[in-house]
């Protein structure tokens, strides 16, 4: 101590000495900060990468953390604000949230999709909004796929009158006609659809509408939302395409899913590389095919199908032939051979994938059945004459109408999650145009996402992701029973970094050299109070925050 300074008083007799490991909060300094400080810390809430990546607009971090801390019902309440089909999405979503998960490059992405399924399978999602509208609007929805169901949910839970039209006799759209039961059991789909209908949604099924009927509905209802999905398969113009045994893959799946099945035999070839192609291939195996091959014109890395579906197809015995393009079919009345040409990969095209260049090198594949899964597009014949879609709304001769379009019919995104988000967006657009005070859902820009560099993974012990339990291959390829049985428990939620969101972990409190951070709810709503009279602006608390939930700002 300095010369002349008094010695510190010794501790009173019997005072316990606290070990270093027990110190979680130090005494505050007695020295206020002068005018030399240039910056201060503050608590912030950034968009997590998973939240920004979710096309449905789900608050992923919050529902995962709520599941962890409060259980399924509380988590379902969070999910139900944006998602009426959690059990469906938890089975069929390509999970872009997991692709962008900050844990991906550490020890594997959090299995968000499986956690969503866990919640949806165990707790009711559908909920009414607490405030009813000033005026109950009447809205017609054409199509009962994921976009139409999402629009109906958002409107009906807000107290509006909804009538849903669908050409099929059963609701669900592509969820029922295109996705096989081994991926999406019908009791799961029916449960979530019925929960939406219980909000008071009326249905009219069994009649496919035309453009004149759509226009007539727009005069009868306050708004019409067209959510008809893809209606037109991509055609293949090569010799022999009209032979028996060459058919559209979506038609094949329709028979498998709605018409009591479709028996096939021998060698079945599927043309295409998307999710429909994978569904056709795996369904053909279950429908009696001795062997199934998928022929795709690009490489495996450029296949648009869900990665897990590709892997599952291979696991079940489907073979893949990449960089092959169909050139024609042979056979005497019935297809017996497929002629394919080798493909070289050129520079990227408008899709960002390398452009396939068909060569003159050809070969022949013997086959007994061919399923065309080359893509689909929307049927413009549903729009009124002269109508075009502009920012989700149909315009005629430059004038906006009360007809809106959403889902694959409008965007062509091709996933259930995108359709759910766009369905809600269409509902809100319609209400906004009718004078309701609503905010149209938009995904946040990437610039608002907390960067991975702000996350401190060293604070988290490496833990492998929980994988779903699957039916053994030998007992599943001849049945349409569900293949993926989900995760055994919800402990996977413990792996969430909670990127950009404070979890009261006390790291800032422990590392503050001044000891001036306290556990308390501050005026800004944060979980900690920083005594700025004594803060030196060193930034250690921000640097050490494991989740990027703090930042420094100029004083």
């Amino acid at each position: 101590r300095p010369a002349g300074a008094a010695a510190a008083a010794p501790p009173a007799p019997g005072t316990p000495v606290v070990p270093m490991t027990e110190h979680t909060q130090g005494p505050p300094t007695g020295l206020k900060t002068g005018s030399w400080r240039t910056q201060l810390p503050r608590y912030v809430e950034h968009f997590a990468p998973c939240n920004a990546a979710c096309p449905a607009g789900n608050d992923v971090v919050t529902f995962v953390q709520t599941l962890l801390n409060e259980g399924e019902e509380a988590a379902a309440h969070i999910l139900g604000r944006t998602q009426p089909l959690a059990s469906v999405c938890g089975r069929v979503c390509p999970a872009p949230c997991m692709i962008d998960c900050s844990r991906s490059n550490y020890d594997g992405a959090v299995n968000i999709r499986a956690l969503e399924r866990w919640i949806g399978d165990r707790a009711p999602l559908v909920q009414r909004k607490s405030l009813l509208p000033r005026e109950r609007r009447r809205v017609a929805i054409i199509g009962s796929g994921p976009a139409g169901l999402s629009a109906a949910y958002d409107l009906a839970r807000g107290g509006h009158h909804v009538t849903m039209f669908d050409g099929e006799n059963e609701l669900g759209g592509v969820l029922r006609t295109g996705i096989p039961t081994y991926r999406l059991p019908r009791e799961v789909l029916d449960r979530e659809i019925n929960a939406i209908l219980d909000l008071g949604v009326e249905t009219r099924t069994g009649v496919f509408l035309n453009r004149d009927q759509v226009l007539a509905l727009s005069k009868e209802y306050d708004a019409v939302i067209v959510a008809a999905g893809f209606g037109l398969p991509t055609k293949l113009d090569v010799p022999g395409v009209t032979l028996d045994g060459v058919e559209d893959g979506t038609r094949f799946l329709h028979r498998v899913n709605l018409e009591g099945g479709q028996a096939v035999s021998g060698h079945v070839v599927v043309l295409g590389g998307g999710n429909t192609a994978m569904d056709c291939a795996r369904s053909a195996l279950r429908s009696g095919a001795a062997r199934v091959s998928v022929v795709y014109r690009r490489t495996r890395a450029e296949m648009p199908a869900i990665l897990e579906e590709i892997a599952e197809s291979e696991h079940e015995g489907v073979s893949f032939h990449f960089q092959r393009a169909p050139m024609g079919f042979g056979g005497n009345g019935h297809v017996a051979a497929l002629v394919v040409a080798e493909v070289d990969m050129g520079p990227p095209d408008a899709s960002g994938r390398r452009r396939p260049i068909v060569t003159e090198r050809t070969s022949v594949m013997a086959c007994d059945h061919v399923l065309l899964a080359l893509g689909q597009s929307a049927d413009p014949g549903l729009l009124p004459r002269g109508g075009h879609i502009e920012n989700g709304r149909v315009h005629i001769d430059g004038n906006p109408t009360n007809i809106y379009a959403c889902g694959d019919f409008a965007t062509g995104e091709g996933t259930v999650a995108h359709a759910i988000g766009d369905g809600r967006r269409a509902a809100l657009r319609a209400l906004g145009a009718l004078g309701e005070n609503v905010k149209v859902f938009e995904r946040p820009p990437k610039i608002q996402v907390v960067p991975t560099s702000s996350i401190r993974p060293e604070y988290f012990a490496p833990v492998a992701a929980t994988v779903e339990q699957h039916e053994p291959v030998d007992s599943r390829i001849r049945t349409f029973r569900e293949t993926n049985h989900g995760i055994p428990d919800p402990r996977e939620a413990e792996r969430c970094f909670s990127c950009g969101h404070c979890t009261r972990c006390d790291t800032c409190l422990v590392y503050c050299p001044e000891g001036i951070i306290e556990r308390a709810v501050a005026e800004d709503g944060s979980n900690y109070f920083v005594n700025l009279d004594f803060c030196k602006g060193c930034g250690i608390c921000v640097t050490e925050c494991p989740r990027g939930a703090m930042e420094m700002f100029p004083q």
Side-chain angles (χ1 to χ4, degrees):
R1 68 181 183 274
T15 301
V17 177
V18 180
M20 286 295 293
T21 55
E22 296 299 319
H23 284 276
T24 59
Q25 187 170 357
T29 177
L31 301 175
K32 288 189 176 183
T33 303
S35 61
W36 51 267
R37 180 181 59 203
T38 61
Q39 59 180 358
L40 290 170
R42 63 184 171 193
Y43 295 85
V44 292
E45 186 171 288
H46 290 295
F47 281 109
C50 53
N51 280 28
C54 178
N58 297 332
D59 187 350
V60 178
V61 163
T62 301
F63 87 67
V64 171
Q65 290 296 319
T66 302
L67 173 62
L68 175 63
N69 297 306
E70 302 178 44
E72 290 93 350
E73 289 194 8
H77 184 75
I78 302 297
L79 256 179
R81 297 171 184 170
T82 55
Q83 170 65 285
L85 301 169
S87 289
V88 170
C89 259
R91 287 168 167 84
V92 304
C93 182
C97 55
M98 293 173 60
I99 295 173
D100 283 9
C101 176
S102 296
R103 198 150 188 158
S104 297
N105 295 325
Y106 181 53
D107 56 3
V110 176
N111 197 337
I112 300 166
R113 178 175 51 211
L115 291 172
E116 183 175 7
R117 170 179 172 171
W118 177 276
I119 296 167
D121 284 355
R122 287 164 177 79
L125 293 164
V126 168
Q127 55 194 257
R128 289 189 180 275
K129 293 180 180 177
S130 57
L131 296 177
L132 294 178
R134 294 170 300 173
E135 182 178 352
R136 192 183 188 201
R137 304 293 184 174
R138 298 178 69 249
V139 181
I141 298 177
I142 301 170
S144 66
L149 290 169
S150 176
Y153 174 59
D154 214 71
L155 290 164
R157 69 189 288 256
H160 300 285
H161 178 79
V162 179
T163 303
M164 181 174 288
F165 297 80
D166 198 284
E168 301 288 352
N169 291 320
E170 298 181 72
L171 300 177
V174 69
L175 300 175
R176 191 177 301 276
T177 64
I179 300 180
T181 56
Y182 63 81
R183 289 181 60 202
L184 179 58
R186 293 306 176 251
E187 60 271 18
V188 172
L189 177 60
D190 291 339
R191 170 169 50 81
E192 295 201 319
I193 290 177
N194 288 335
I196 297 172
L197 299 183
D198 287 344
L199 293 173
V201 176
E202 297 182 5
T203 62
R204 299 181 188 177
T205 60
V207 178
F208 288 96
L209 303 181
N210 58 37
R211 59 172 24 137
D212 293 333
Q213 292 168 311
V214 171
L215 188 60
L217 288 176
S218 70
K219 303 181 188 307
E220 181 182 351
Y221 289 83
D222 294 316
V224 174
I225 297 176
V226 181
F230 288 137
L232 301 177
T234 299
K235 299 295 184 181
L236 182 63
D237 186 16
V238 297
V241 72
T242 59
L243 287 170
D244 288 344
V246 179
E247 67 171 322
D248 176 59
T250 57
R251 182 69 191 120
F252 169 77
L253 291 175
H254 192 282
R255 283 202 295 274
V256 167
N257 295 322
L258 283 183
E259 301 173 29
Q262 173 65 42
V264 295
S265 61
H267 182 202
V268 177
V269 175
V270 180
L271 301 182
N275 292 322
T276 299
M278 299 306 103
D279 288 339
C280 284
R282 299 178 70 188
S283 293
L285 279 177
R286 289 160 171 79
S287 298
R291 177 162 74 99
V292 177
S293 300
V294 170
V295 173
Y296 181 54
R297 62 178 181 160
R298 287 186 165 100
T299 67
R300 181 192 181 101
E302 289 151 323
M303 291 183 74
I306 299 173
L307 295 178
E308 291 85 354
E309 289 303 304
I310 300 172
E312 286 297 303
S313 298
E314 282 189 315
H315 196 49
E316 292 177 359
V318 175
S319 62
F320 286 80
H321 303 265
F322 298 109
Q323 293 180 249
R324 297 291 186 272
M327 303 303 293
F329 303 95
N332 186 14
H334 191 282
V335 67
L338 165 66
V339 180
V340 295
E342 294 183 25
V343 174
D344 293 334
M345 303 309 297
D349 59 16
S351 72
R353 297 178 296 172
R354 289 179 295 170
R355 183 170 60 88
I357 302 173
V358 179
T359 72
E360 296 182 356
R361 305 186 299 270
T362 62
S363 59
V364 177
M365 297 176 62
C367 58
D368 302 287
H369 205 106
V370 178
L371 301 175
L372 307 179
L374 303 171
Q376 298 169 272
S377 59
D379 182 1
L382 273 177
L383 296 180
R385 289 176 177 82
H388 69 278
I389 301 170
E390 185 177 319
N391 195 29
R393 190 171 186 176
V394 176
H395 289 65
I396 300 178
D397 297 329
N399 299 313
T401 69
N402 66 338
I403 303 173
Y404 300 82
C406 64
D408 287 340
F409 182 84
T411 69
E413 295 282 2
T415 76
V416 172
H418 280 94
I420 289 172
D422 206 43
R424 184 165 82 260
R425 192 176 294 112
L428 294 172
R429 281 177 178 146
L431 292 178
L434 290 168
E436 299 290 331
N437 184 20
V438 296
K439 182 179 180 181
V440 177
F441 152 68
E442 296 292 346
R443 293 170 67 185
K446 291 287 187 181
I447 195 172
Q448 297 181 16
V449 175
V450 59
T452 303
S453 59
S454 296
I455 308 301
R456 301 289 298 274
E458 62 268 23
Y459 277 93
F460 305 91
V463 179
T466 306
V467 296
E468 294 96 335
Q469 300 169 319
H470 287 77
E471 192 78 15
V473 172
D474 57 357
S475 65
R476 80 189 194 203
I477 60 173
R478 297 304 180 190
T479 175
F480 280 86
R481 291 195 308 269
E482 186 170 20
T483 297
N484 184 340
H485 299 302
I487 53 179
D489 57 60
R491 287 182 295 177
E492 177 69 4
E494 298 173 1
R495 299 181 65 246
C496 176
F497 283 166
S498 190
C499 301
H501 292 63
C502 177
T503 63
R504 297 178 66 91
C505 70
D506 285 352
T507 302
C508 56
L509 181 153
V510 171
Y511 274 91
C512 176
E514 305 296 332
I516 47 87
I517 297 179
E518 304 173 14
R519 297 187 195 95
V521 177
E523 292 182 1
D524 61 1
S526 59
N527 294 313
Y528 296 92
F529 169 75
V530 181
N531 192 334
L532 298 180
D533 287 340
F534 298 96
C535 177
K536 305 301 186 290
C538 67
I540 292 176
C541 56
V542 173
T543 301
E544 294 299 329
C545 177
R547 299 168 173 85
M550 298 185 73
E551 67 180 9
M552 301 300 294
F553 69 99
Q555 183 175 0

